Amino acid sequence: ARKSGKLVSRSSSQPSALRPPQARAVSPRAETKVPLTHIQSQMLKAMTKSLAIPHFLYSDEINFDPLIRLRSTINKSLNANSPVPRVSFMPFVMKAVSIALDQYPLLNSRLEFDSDNKPALVMRPQHNIGVAMDTPAGLVVPNVKDVSSLSILDIAAELRRLQGLGVEGKLTPADVSGGTITVSNIGNIGGTVVAPVIVVGEVTILGMGRAQKLPRFNENGQVVAETVMNFSWSADHRVVDGATMARMAALVRELLEVPGQMFARMK
Ligand code: CAO
């Protein structure tokens, strides 16, 4: 199908909103000093703090074929009167993360130090899932609030709203604050693996790479074509151990590979 074909092929006609500003810049003829953009200044501060977090990377491969089929069925049922004309993979991934967080709430927490430098974990009841977005002005990370209370179509509609505001540079402080965990999908631009950087005030981030059709062995030992995607998780190793991360990642994988399980657990 065209849609699933597009998912695994390299896009030669990237929408201009997905092209970084540098791609349109002209190379200087001599060394030139330029001030940082507003977003670069914010990245400088935020990423310097983020990279002070002792973190580890955990990676896994997800078979996306069941989700590709499900998304195609759902998209065929949508029309101009639906809350959104189509859904991408992000709402399913965000929902799976939210369902898994019910079992692993530590990964939705925040590490805080009081005035005596005594650490504590702030456990948070809502899953406000941040989404890294590439906009003409650069990287922004708005979040979808209370994902556990939203349907797949609700999440898609909110993502669409945030994407629209992001492209226009009109995201509000409320849109970009209060995130509790982040998902960064670099795969629609390229790259099969990304090592994501934890957002300060959170302990976990998921990075999604590009889906690829690759040969894999099925349960009968036969080689079959499978659409696979790398999920890479970074977690704050001061409070999250690798085993907890691996269990959470395994649950997210199970929910996406057997989407029926996800629907069985939806509230
Ligand atoms: N692999 C392959 N194809 C993918 C994909 C992936 N991981 N993710 C999305 N695609 C495809 C989608 O299926 C869609 O094709 P269809 O027309 O068939 O639906 C197409 O790419 C465009 O997707 P989209 O951008 O409309 O929607 P999305 O919800 O998947 O992604 C967003 C939204 C905001 C995450 C994305 O636009 C974006 O900005 N990505 C970059 C994030 C980033 O910069 N991360 C790095 C942060 S660190 O600097």
Side-chain angles (χ1 to χ4, degrees), residues 9-258:
S9 69
R10 257 175 221 282
S11 169
S12 54
S13 57
Q14 203 66 256
S16 61
L18 292 179
R19 256 183 255 132
Q22 296 92 311
R24 295 190 291 270
V26 178
S27 293
R29 288 172 182 264
E31 275 189 18
T32 318
K33 202 184 261 186
V34 289
L36 300 190
T37 63
H38 174 63
I39 287 192
Q40 281 171 329
S41 304
Q42 286 181 324
M43 273 202 300
L44 191 152
K45 283 189 214 145
M47 296 302 162
T48 305
K49 283 188 198 160
S50 288
L51 282 170
I53 299 173
H55 62 278
F56 66 90
L57 179 69
Y58 175 90
S59 214
D60 205 2
E61 183 180 278
I62 315 270
N63 175 358
F64 251 60
D65 286 323
L67 201 56
I68 289 173
R69 288 192 288 273
L70 176 68
R71 183 181 85 124
S72 164
T73 308
I74 292 176
N75 277 344
K76 277 183 201 144
S77 74
L78 299 175
N79 56 45
N81 299 322
S82 310
V84 279
R86 59 178 266 285
V87 286
S88 71
F89 293 97
M90 289 296 282
F92 298 95
V93 173
M94 292 164 74
K95 194 71 192 177
V97 167
S98 170
I99 292 171
L101 284 176
D102 282 337
Q103 216 160 309
Y104 300 98
L106 169 67
L107 299 178
N108 195 51
S109 70
R110 179 177 76 234
L111 178 59
E112 218 173 69
F113 294 85
D114 68 14
S115 49
D116 299 328
N117 217 22
K118 193 170 167 223
L121 282 169
V122 181
M123 305 303 289
R124 302 186 278 201
Q126 282 196 354
H127 306 152
N128 298 340
I129 303 188
V131 179
M133 284 185 182
D134 176 53
T135 72
L139 172 69
V140 290
V141 191
N143 60 82
V144 175
K145 308 273 188 289
D146 203 8
V147 169
S148 60
S149 71
L150 303 179
S151 70
I152 296 288
L153 294 188
D154 292 336
I155 301 170
E158 179 60 359
L159 262 182
R160 194 176 153 86
R161 183 187 76 83
L162 294 171
Q163 248 176 308
L165 292 177
V167 167
E168 288 173 25
K170 290 186 177 159
L171 287 165
T172 66
D175 293 324
V176 294
S177 60
T180 58
I181 186 169
T182 298
V183 178
S184 175
N185 177 10
I186 199 71
N188 61 328
I189 301 177
T192 52
V193 179
V194 60
V197 179
I198 300 166
V199 174
V200 168
E202 302 179 8
V203 297
T204 322
I205 183 168
L206 164 62
M208 297 162 60
R210 193 164 61 86
Q212 296 172 285
K213 201 161 244 190
L214 291 174
R216 290 291 179 265
F217 290 104
N218 69 11
E219 59 277 14
N220 303 321
Q222 294 152 330
V223 176
V224 291
E226 241 178 46
T227 312
V228 296
M229 194 187 287
N230 283 306
F231 272 25
S232 301
W233 302 80
S234 290
D236 186 336
H237 215 341
R238 293 171 297 179
V239 289
V240 180
D241 57 49
T244 305
M245 187 68 261
R247 290 189 185 106
M248 161 90 177
L251 180 52
V252 169
R253 177 172 133 164
E254 194 180 322
L255 295 170
L256 293 172
E257 290 189 341
V258 190

